[in-house]
PDB file of all heavy atoms in Angstrom:
ATOM      1  N   ASN A  53     -18.638   6.624   2.813  1.00 89.00           N
ATOM      2  CA  ASN A  53     -19.908   7.130   2.296  1.00 89.00           C
ATOM      3  C   ASN A  53     -19.828   8.587   1.849  1.00 89.00           C
ATOM      4  O   ASN A  53     -20.841   9.164   1.455  1.00 89.00           O
ATOM      5  CB  ASN A  53     -20.991   6.988   3.360  1.00 89.00           C
ATOM      6  CG  ASN A  53     -21.299   5.531   3.659  1.00 89.00           C
ATOM      7  OD1 ASN A  53     -21.359   4.698   2.760  1.00 89.00           O
ATOM      8  ND2 ASN A  53     -21.473   5.204   4.925  1.00 89.00           N
ATOM      9  N   GLY A  54     -18.649   9.166   1.955  1.00 90.00           N
ATOM     10  CA  GLY A  54     -18.484  10.550   1.526  1.00 90.00           C
ATOM     11  C   GLY A  54     -18.741  11.586   2.588  1.00 90.00           C
ATOM     12  O   GLY A  54     -18.739  12.787   2.302  1.00 90.00           O
ATOM     13  N   ASN A  55     -18.960  11.153   3.819  1.00 93.00           N
ATOM     14  CA  ASN A  55     -19.161  12.101   4.913  1.00 93.00           C
ATOM     15  C   ASN A  55     -17.811  12.680   5.333  1.00 93.00           C
ATOM     16  O   ASN A  55     -16.857  11.936   5.560  1.00 93.00           O
ATOM     17  CB  ASN A  55     -19.809  11.408   6.102  1.00 93.00           C
ATOM     18  CG  ASN A  55     -21.158  10.825   5.750  1.00 93.00           C
ATOM     19  OD1 ASN A  55     -22.045  11.529   5.301  1.00 93.00           O
ATOM     20  ND2 ASN A  55     -21.313   9.514   5.930  1.00 93.00           N
ATOM     21  N   ALA A  56     -17.751  13.988   5.452  1.00 96.00           N
ATOM     22  CA  ALA A  56     -16.488  14.662   5.732  1.00 96.00           C
ATOM     23  C   ALA A  56     -16.521  15.366   7.089  1.00 96.00           C
ATOM     24  O   ALA A  56     -17.569  15.836   7.527  1.00 96.00           O
ATOM     25  CB  ALA A  56     -16.179  15.675   4.640  1.00 96.00           C
ATOM     26  N   ASN A  57     -15.371  15.420   7.716  1.00 96.00           N
ATOM     27  CA  ASN A  57     -15.174  16.177   8.944  1.00 96.00           C
ATOM     28  C   ASN A  57     -14.005  17.132   8.735  1.00 96.00           C
ATOM     29  O   ASN A  57     -13.055  16.786   8.029  1.00 96.00           O
ATOM     30  CB  ASN A  57     -14.848  15.264  10.118  1.00 96.00           C
ATOM     31  CG  ASN A  57     -16.022  14.426  10.541  1.00 96.00           C
ATOM     32  OD1 ASN A  57     -17.127  14.913  10.684  1.00 96.00           O
ATOM     33  ND2 ASN A  57     -15.781  13.139  10.744  1.00 96.00           N
ATOM     34  N   TYR A  58     -14.077  18.288   9.368  1.00 98.00           N
ATOM     35  CA  TYR A  58     -13.029  19.287   9.214  1.00 98.00           C
ATOM     36  C   TYR A  58     -12.597  19.830  10.565  1.00 98.00           C
ATOM     37  O   TYR A  58     -13.396  19.946  11.489  1.00 98.00           O
ATOM     38  CB  TYR A  58     -13.514  20.466   8.356  1.00 98.00           C
ATOM     39  CG  TYR A  58     -13.857  20.088   6.943  1.00 98.00           C
ATOM     40  CD1 TYR A  58     -15.155  19.727   6.600  1.00 98.00           C
ATOM     41  CD2 TYR A  58     -12.881  20.089   5.959  1.00 98.00           C
ATOM     42  CE1 TYR A  58     -15.470  19.369   5.300  1.00 98.00           C
ATOM     43  CE2 TYR A  58     -13.189  19.731   4.650  1.00 98.00           C
ATOM     44  CZ  TYR A  58     -14.482  19.372   4.330  1.00 98.00           C
ATOM     45  OH  TYR A  58     -14.780  19.020   3.038  1.00 98.00           O
ATOM     46  N   ALA A  59     -11.333  20.172  10.650  1.00 98.00           N
ATOM     47  CA  ALA A  59     -10.867  20.917  11.810  1.00 98.00           C
ATOM     48  C   ALA A  59     -11.535  22.293  11.795  1.00 98.00           C
ATOM     49  O   ALA A  59     -11.786  22.858  10.728  1.00 98.00           O
ATOM     50  CB  ALA A  59      -9.350  21.065  11.752  1.00 98.00           C
ATOM     51  N   GLU A  60     -11.795  22.820  12.982  1.00 98.00           N
ATOM     52  CA  GLU A  60     -12.470  24.116  13.070  1.00 98.00           C
ATOM     53  C   GLU A  60     -11.700  25.203  12.310  1.00 98.00           C
ATOM     54  O   GLU A  60     -12.302  26.089  11.707  1.00 98.00           O
ATOM     55  CB  GLU A  60     -12.634  24.516  14.530  1.00 98.00           C
ATOM     56  CG  GLU A  60     -13.711  23.760  15.276  1.00 98.00           C
ATOM     57  CD  GLU A  60     -15.105  24.038  14.739  1.00 98.00           C
ATOM     58  OE1 GLU A  60     -15.356  25.177  14.307  1.00 98.00           O
ATOM     59  OE2 GLU A  60     -15.939  23.110  14.743  1.00 98.00           O
ATOM     60  N   SER A  61     -10.396  25.111  12.343  1.00 98.00           N
ATOM     61  CA  SER A  61      -9.573  26.155  11.752  1.00 98.00           C
ATOM     62  C   SER A  61      -9.669  26.226  10.225  1.00 98.00           C
ATOM     63  O   SER A  61      -9.269  27.232   9.634  1.00 98.00           O
ATOM     64  CB  SER A  61      -8.107  25.950  12.149  1.00 98.00           C
ATOM     65  OG  SER A  61      -7.636  24.694  11.694  1.00 98.00           O
ATOM     66  N   VAL A  62     -10.191  25.164   9.587  1.00 98.00           N
ATOM     67  CA  VAL A  62     -10.253  25.164   8.124  1.00 98.00           C
ATOM     68  C   VAL A  62     -11.681  25.090   7.587  1.00 98.00           C
ATOM     69  O   VAL A  62     -11.881  25.136   6.361  1.00 98.00           O
ATOM     70  CB  VAL A  62      -9.423  24.000   7.526  1.00 98.00           C
ATOM     71  CG1 VAL A  62      -7.996  24.032   8.059  1.00 98.00           C
ATOM     72  CG2 VAL A  62     -10.075  22.650   7.799  1.00 98.00           C
ATOM     73  N   LYS A  63     -12.650  24.989   8.460  1.00 98.00           N
ATOM     74  CA  LYS A  63     -14.045  24.912   8.009  1.00 98.00           C
ATOM     75  C   LYS A  63     -14.409  26.120   7.160  1.00 98.00           C
ATOM     76  O   LYS A  63     -14.097  27.260   7.517  1.00 98.00           O
ATOM     77  CB  LYS A  63     -14.981  24.809   9.208  1.00 98.00           C
ATOM     78  CG  LYS A  63     -15.106  23.422   9.775  1.00 98.00           C
ATOM     79  CD  LYS A  63     -16.125  23.383  10.907  1.00 98.00           C
ATOM     80  CE  LYS A  63     -16.262  21.973  11.455  1.00 98.00           C
ATOM     81  NZ  LYS A  63     -17.212  21.914  12.590  1.00 98.00           N
ATOM     82  N   GLY A  64     -15.070  25.846   6.058  1.00 98.00           N
ATOM     83  CA  GLY A  64     -15.477  26.919   5.163  1.00 98.00           C
ATOM     84  C   GLY A  64     -14.416  27.337   4.176  1.00 98.00           C
ATOM     85  O   GLY A  64     -14.699  28.092   3.231  1.00 98.00           O
ATOM     86  N   ARG A  65     -13.185  26.852   4.347  1.00 98.00           N
ATOM     87  CA  ARG A  65     -12.094  27.219   3.445  1.00 98.00           C
ATOM     88  C   ARG A  65     -11.542  26.011   2.693  1.00 98.00           C
ATOM     89  O   ARG A  65     -11.102  26.136   1.545  1.00 98.00           O
ATOM     90  CB  ARG A  65     -10.951  27.877   4.224  1.00 98.00           C
ATOM     91  CG  ARG A  65     -11.350  29.135   4.964  1.00 98.00           C
ATOM     92  CD  ARG A  65     -10.134  29.848   5.560  1.00 98.00           C
ATOM     93  NE  ARG A  65      -9.452  29.039   6.562  1.00 98.00           N
ATOM     94  CZ  ARG A  65      -8.171  28.683   6.487  1.00 98.00           C
ATOM     95  NH1 ARG A  65      -7.434  29.048   5.450  1.00 98.00           N
ATOM     96  NH2 ARG A  65      -7.619  27.956   7.458  1.00 98.00           N
ATOM     97  N   PHE A  66     -11.528  24.859   3.329  1.00 98.00           N
ATOM     98  CA  PHE A  66     -10.982  23.633   2.738  1.00 98.00           C
ATOM     99  C   PHE A  66     -12.117  22.670   2.415  1.00 98.00           C
ATOM    100  O   PHE A  66     -13.142  22.646   3.093  1.00 98.00           O
ATOM    101  CB  PHE A  66     -10.028  22.944   3.701  1.00 98.00           C
ATOM    102  CG  PHE A  66      -8.730  23.665   3.958  1.00 98.00           C
ATOM    103  CD1 PHE A  66      -8.519  24.972   3.548  1.00 98.00           C
ATOM    104  CD2 PHE A  66      -7.699  23.014   4.631  1.00 98.00           C
ATOM    105  CE1 PHE A  66      -7.328  25.631   3.799  1.00 98.00           C
ATOM    106  CE2 PHE A  66      -6.498  23.651   4.876  1.00 98.00           C
ATOM    107  CZ  PHE A  66      -6.316  24.966   4.459  1.00 98.00           C
ATOM    108  N   ALA A  67     -11.893  21.859   1.381  1.00 98.00           N
ATOM    109  CA  ALA A  67     -12.862  20.831   1.013  1.00 98.00           C
ATOM    110  C   ALA A  67     -12.132  19.554   0.627  1.00 98.00           C
ATOM    111  O   ALA A  67     -11.244  19.573  -0.230  1.00 98.00           O
ATOM    112  CB  ALA A  67     -13.738  21.306  -0.137  1.00 98.00           C
ATOM    113  N   ILE A  68     -12.510  18.456   1.265  1.00 98.00           N
ATOM    114  CA  ILE A  68     -11.921  17.157   0.973  1.00 98.00           C
ATOM    115  C   ILE A  68     -12.857  16.385   0.056  1.00 98.00           C
ATOM    116  O   ILE A  68     -14.085  16.489   0.171  1.00 98.00           O
ATOM    117  CB  ILE A  68     -11.657  16.372   2.281  1.00 98.00           C
ATOM    118  CG1 ILE A  68     -10.839  15.107   2.014  1.00 98.00           C
ATOM    119  CG2 ILE A  68     -12.955  16.056   3.008  1.00 98.00           C
ATOM    120  CD1 ILE A  68     -10.380  14.410   3.295  1.00 98.00           C
ATOM    121  N   SER A  69     -12.280  15.625  -0.854  1.00 96.00           N
ATOM    122  CA  SER A  69     -13.104  14.827  -1.755  1.00 96.00           C
ATOM    123  C   SER A  69     -12.300  13.635  -2.253  1.00 96.00           C
ATOM    124  O   SER A  69     -11.067  13.615  -2.169  1.00 96.00           O
ATOM    125  CB  SER A  69     -13.600  15.661  -2.935  1.00 96.00           C
ATOM    126  OG  SER A  69     -12.508  16.135  -3.710  1.00 96.00           O
ATOM    127  N   ARG A  70     -13.017  12.658  -2.770  1.00 93.00           N
ATOM    128  CA  ARG A  70     -12.378  11.488  -3.374  1.00 93.00           C
ATOM    129  C   ARG A  70     -12.565  11.545  -4.885  1.00 93.00           C
ATOM    130  O   ARG A  70     -13.573  12.050  -5.378  1.00 93.00           O
ATOM    131  CB  ARG A  70     -13.029  10.197  -2.870  1.00 93.00           C
ATOM    132  CG  ARG A  70     -12.821   9.883  -1.409  1.00 93.00           C
ATOM    133  CD  ARG A  70     -13.506   8.588  -1.085  1.00 93.00           C
ATOM    134  NE  ARG A  70     -13.459   8.233   0.318  1.00 93.00           N
ATOM    135  CZ  ARG A  70     -12.676   7.294   0.827  1.00 93.00           C
ATOM    136  NH1 ARG A  70     -11.847   6.648   0.042  1.00 93.00           N
ATOM    137  NH2 ARG A  70     -12.722   7.007   2.110  1.00 93.00           N
ATOM    138  N   GLY A  71     -11.628  10.949  -5.599  1.00 89.00           N
ATOM    139  CA  GLY A  71     -11.794  10.803  -7.027  1.00 89.00           C
ATOM    140  C   GLY A  71     -12.820   9.728  -7.336  1.00 89.00           C
ATOM    141  O   GLY A  71     -13.186   8.940  -6.466  1.00 89.00           O
ATOM    142  N   ASP A  72     -13.273   9.668  -8.572  1.00 79.00           N
ATOM    143  CA  ASP A  72     -14.310   8.719  -8.967  1.00 79.00           C
ATOM    144  C   ASP A  72     -13.897   7.270  -8.716  1.00 79.00           C
ATOM    145  O   ASP A  72     -14.722   6.431  -8.390  1.00 79.00           O
ATOM    146  CB  ASP A  72     -14.658   8.904 -10.439  1.00 79.00           C
ATOM    147  CG  ASP A  72     -15.411  10.198 -10.670  1.00 79.00           C
ATOM    148  OD1 ASP A  72     -15.961  10.730  -9.688  1.00 79.00           O
ATOM    149  OD2 ASP A  72     -15.443  10.674 -11.817  1.00 79.00           O
ATOM    150  N   GLY A  73     -12.630   6.967  -8.874  1.00 75.00           N
ATOM    151  CA  GLY A  73     -12.154   5.609  -8.682  1.00 75.00           C
ATOM    152  C   GLY A  73     -11.846   5.277  -7.238  1.00 75.00           C
ATOM    153  O   GLY A  73     -11.417   4.172  -6.933  1.00 75.00           O
ATOM    154  N   GLN A  74     -12.068   6.236  -6.340  1.00 79.00           N
ATOM    155  CA  GLN A  74     -11.857   6.055  -4.889  1.00 79.00           C
ATOM    156  C   GLN A  74     -10.395   5.905  -4.504  1.00 79.00           C
ATOM    157  O   GLN A  74     -10.094   5.779  -3.327  1.00 79.00           O
ATOM    158  CB  GLN A  74     -12.636   4.829  -4.368  1.00 79.00           C
ATOM    159  CG  GLN A  74     -14.138   4.944  -4.500  1.00 79.00           C
ATOM    160  CD  GLN A  74     -14.735   5.928  -3.520  1.00 79.00           C
ATOM    161  OE1 GLN A  74     -14.247   6.113  -2.416  1.00 79.00           O
ATOM    162  NE2 GLN A  74     -15.803   6.592  -3.936  1.00 79.00           N
ATOM    163  N   ASN A  75      -9.493   5.890  -5.456  1.00 89.00           N
ATOM    164  CA  ASN A  75      -8.077   5.757  -5.118  1.00 89.00           C
ATOM    165  C   ASN A  75      -7.323   7.069  -5.250  1.00 89.00           C
ATOM    166  O   ASN A  75      -6.097   7.078  -5.331  1.00 89.00           O
ATOM    167  CB  ASN A  75      -7.415   4.686  -5.988  1.00 89.00           C
ATOM    168  CG  ASN A  75      -7.661   3.305  -5.438  1.00 89.00           C
ATOM    169  OD1 ASN A  75      -8.302   3.140  -4.413  1.00 89.00           O
ATOM    170  ND2 ASN A  75      -7.158   2.303  -6.114  1.00 89.00           N
ATOM    171  N   THR A  76      -8.051   8.157  -5.296  1.00 93.00           N
ATOM    172  CA  THR A  76      -7.437   9.469  -5.287  1.00 93.00           C
ATOM    173  C   THR A  76      -8.167  10.325  -4.262  1.00 93.00           C
ATOM    174  O   THR A  76      -9.395  10.294  -4.175  1.00 93.00           O
ATOM    175  CB  THR A  76      -7.520  10.146  -6.669  1.00 93.00           C
ATOM    176  OG1 THR A  76      -7.012   9.258  -7.656  1.00 93.00           O
ATOM    177  CG2 THR A  76      -6.694  11.426  -6.677  1.00 93.00           C
ATOM    178  N   LEU A  77      -7.412  11.054  -3.495  1.00 96.00           N
ATOM    179  CA  LEU A  77      -7.969  11.935  -2.479  1.00 96.00           C
ATOM    180  C   LEU A  77      -7.506  13.352  -2.773  1.00 96.00           C
ATOM    181  O   LEU A  77      -6.345  13.559  -3.155  1.00 96.00           O
ATOM    182  CB  LEU A  77      -7.484  11.503  -1.090  1.00 96.00           C
ATOM    183  CG  LEU A  77      -8.093  12.210   0.104  1.00 96.00           C
ATOM    184  CD1 LEU A  77      -9.561  11.805   0.265  1.00 96.00           C
ATOM    185  CD2 LEU A  77      -7.313  11.876   1.373  1.00 96.00           C
ATOM    186  N   PHE A  78      -8.411  14.305  -2.609  1.00 97.00           N
ATOM    187  CA  PHE A  78      -8.088  15.694  -2.883  1.00 97.00           C
ATOM    188  C   PHE A  78      -8.343  16.554  -1.646  1.00 97.00           C
ATOM    189  O   PHE A  78      -9.168  16.224  -0.795  1.00 97.00           O
ATOM    190  CB  PHE A  78      -8.943  16.220  -4.041  1.00 97.00           C
ATOM    191  CG  PHE A  78      -8.782  15.467  -5.325  1.00 97.00           C
ATOM    192  CD1 PHE A  78      -9.756  14.551  -5.736  1.00 97.00           C
ATOM    193  CD2 PHE A  78      -7.670  15.657  -6.122  1.00 97.00           C
ATOM    194  CE1 PHE A  78      -9.611  13.851  -6.925  1.00 97.00           C
ATOM    195  CE2 PHE A  78      -7.517  14.955  -7.307  1.00 97.00           C
ATOM    196  CZ  PHE A  78      -8.490  14.047  -7.705  1.00 97.00           C
ATOM    197  N   LEU A  79      -7.636  17.670  -1.606  1.00 98.00           N
ATOM    198  CA  LEU A  79      -7.915  18.691  -0.610  1.00 98.00           C
ATOM    199  C   LEU A  79      -7.838  20.036  -1.318  1.00 98.00           C
ATOM    200  O   LEU A  79      -6.751  20.487  -1.690  1.00 98.00           O
ATOM    201  CB  LEU A  79      -6.929  18.641   0.555  1.00 98.00           C
ATOM    202  CG  LEU A  79      -7.228  19.633   1.685  1.00 98.00           C
ATOM    203  CD1 LEU A  79      -8.528  19.223   2.413  1.00 98.00           C
ATOM    204  CD2 LEU A  79      -6.075  19.705   2.691  1.00 98.00           C
ATOM    205  N   GLN A  80      -8.990  20.648  -1.523  1.00 98.00           N
ATOM    206  CA  GLN A  80      -9.049  21.993  -2.097  1.00 98.00           C
ATOM    207  C   GLN A  80      -8.916  22.995  -0.968  1.00 98.00           C
ATOM    208  O   GLN A  80      -9.722  22.973  -0.027  1.00 98.00           O
ATOM    209  CB  GLN A  80     -10.364  22.204  -2.844  1.00 98.00           C
ATOM    210  CG  GLN A  80     -10.526  23.587  -3.428  1.00 98.00           C
ATOM    211  CD  GLN A  80      -9.524  23.880  -4.540  1.00 98.00           C
ATOM    212  OE1 GLN A  80      -9.269  23.030  -5.394  1.00 98.00           O
ATOM    213  NE2 GLN A  80      -8.958  25.083  -4.527  1.00 98.00           N
ATOM    214  N   MET A  81      -7.915  23.844  -1.052  1.00 98.00           N
ATOM    215  CA  MET A  81      -7.644  24.806   0.009  1.00 98.00           C
ATOM    216  C   MET A  81      -7.784  26.210  -0.551  1.00 98.00           C
ATOM    217  O   MET A  81      -7.040  26.602  -1.463  1.00 98.00           O
ATOM    218  CB  MET A  81      -6.232  24.593   0.567  1.00 98.00           C
ATOM    219  CG  MET A  81      -5.972  23.169   1.045  1.00 98.00           C
ATOM    220  SD  MET A  81      -4.374  22.992   1.861  1.00 98.00           S
ATOM    221  CE  MET A  81      -3.260  23.332   0.511  1.00 98.00           C
ATOM    222  N   ASN A  82      -8.741  26.938  -0.029  1.00 98.00           N
ATOM    223  CA  ASN A  82      -9.000  28.306  -0.463  1.00 98.00           C
ATOM    224  C   ASN A  82      -8.744  29.277   0.679  1.00 98.00           C
ATOM    225  O   ASN A  82      -8.729  28.884   1.850  1.00 98.00           O
ATOM    226  CB  ASN A  82     -10.436  28.445  -0.945  1.00 98.00           C
ATOM    227  CG  ASN A  82     -10.758  27.551  -2.131  1.00 98.00           C
ATOM    228  OD1 ASN A  82      -9.923  27.335  -3.003  1.00 98.00           O
ATOM    229  ND2 ASN A  82     -11.982  27.046  -2.164  1.00 98.00           N
ATOM    230  N   ASP A  83      -8.572  30.533   0.333  1.00 98.00           N
ATOM    231  CA  ASP A  83      -8.357  31.587   1.331  1.00 98.00           C
ATOM    232  C   ASP A  83      -7.258  31.171   2.312  1.00 98.00           C
ATOM    233  O   ASP A  83      -7.442  31.228   3.540  1.00 98.00           O
ATOM    234  CB  ASP A  83      -9.659  31.888   2.064  1.00 98.00           C
ATOM    235  CG  ASP A  83      -9.561  33.125   2.949  1.00 98.00           C
ATOM    236  OD1 ASP A  83      -8.692  33.991   2.681  1.00 98.00           O
ATOM    237  OD2 ASP A  83     -10.334  33.228   3.924  1.00 98.00           O
ATOM    238  N   LEU A  84      -6.157  30.751   1.779  1.00 98.00           N
ATOM    239  CA  LEU A  84      -5.067  30.261   2.622  1.00 98.00           C
ATOM    240  C   LEU A  84      -4.489  31.366   3.500  1.00 98.00           C
ATOM    241  O   LEU A  84      -4.429  32.536   3.095  1.00 98.00           O
ATOM    242  CB  LEU A  84      -3.971  29.646   1.759  1.00 98.00           C
ATOM    243  CG  LEU A  84      -4.304  28.244   1.243  1.00 98.00           C
ATOM    244  CD1 LEU A  84      -3.450  27.884   0.036  1.00 98.00           C
ATOM    245  CD2 LEU A  84      -4.132  27.217   2.347  1.00 98.00           C
TER     246      LEU A  84
END
Side-chain angles (χ1 to χ4, degrees):
N53 294 319
N55 300 303
N57 290 314
Y58 297 92
E60 285 295 326
S61 60
V62 306
K63 279 184 179 178
R65 300 188 297 122
F66 291 11
I68 189 172
S69 62
R70 293 181 184 255
D72 289 341
Q74 297 288 328
N75 278 359
T76 308
L77 187 70
F78 301 103
L79 184 68
Q80 178 66 43
M81 305 186 295
N82 299 324
D83 189 24
L84 283 160

